[in-house]
Amino acid sequence: MTFRTRRTTAVPALALALAVALSGCGAVVDAVLGDSPEAAQRDEPGGEITASAEADVFSLQVGDCLNYLAESEEATEFAALPTVPCAEQHDAEIYAETTLTQEQHESDLALAADAEAETPTHADQFCYDAFAGFVGTSYEESTLDYTYLSPTPESWAQGDDVVQCLVVHLEGGLTGSMRDSAL
């Protein structure tokens, strides 16, 4: 039996259309039978994705394009996500990432567990702040949405401290980067 940790996704309050719900306590299914997913296929280490694949979430990088929406309808925790070269049709792209401190991570978990909290998590605020600089228009004026991948308590315990922001086109079918698209 191989144990594998997953990363979770969170949705900003305005992005309920994604139909993704976090569990109230951030509980994680932390064990999965089988081999770990493969890293994203790239032209060179750190380079662009060259082939569509179910890629290990820990191999994802800023600039990677994904077909995220179908996956997010079924789950809020992921060990792998479907990556594609950005020249192919996709519905999401990783546009920013940040590293959380222990205090920020604990605060985010508490805020996520509080269904009535109006304060955004550190991860949500970071992604919101980075949105306009990437897309080229404010979140409020954009037709795009965003979400993020963040550490679970289990992945945090194994050293995962990265939040990755995903810009999402709810209708899918985009080709190319969403950078400076002003959509």
Side-chain angles (χ1 to χ4, degrees), residues 10-95:
V11 181
L14 298 174
L16 293 176
L18 286 175
V20 178
L22 286 173
S23 63
C25 64
V28 177
V29 177
D30 64 352
V32 178
L33 292 174
D35 295 324
S36 296
E38 296 291 322
Q41 298 177 34
R42 300 181 183 283
D43 57 357
E44 60 185 64
E48 291 184 21
I49 290 177
T50 57
S52 300
E54 285 290 319
D56 185 323
V57 293
F58 296 102
S59 73
L60 300 177
Q61 301 173 11
V62 171
D64 288 352
C65 293
L66 314 165
N67 282 316
Y68 168 79
L69 289 175
E71 299 293 318
S72 68
E73 290 175 2
E74 300 293 324
T76 59
E77 300 162 4
F78 308 97
L81 284 168
T83 58
V84 296
C86 291
E88 294 179 14
Q89 289 190 351
H90 57 278
D91 57 36
E93 181 176 352
I94 299 173
Y95 68 95

Side-chain angles (χ1 to χ4, degrees), residues 112-131:
D114 182 358
E116 299 195 19
E118 293 185 22
T119 304
T121 63
H122 294 281
D124 185 44
Q125 189 65 54
F126 172 80
C127 293
Y128 175 83
D129 291 344
F131 185 92

Side-chain angles (χ1 to χ4, degrees), residues 135-161:
V135 174
T137 192
S138 72
Y139 174 74
E140 292 77 13
E141 296 173 347
S142 179
T143 61
L144 302 173
D145 212 331
Y146 74 91
T147 188
Y148 52 88
L149 300 174
S150 62
T152 64
E154 289 80 4
S155 69
W156 181 269
Q158 295 178 5
D160 177 22
D161 58 0

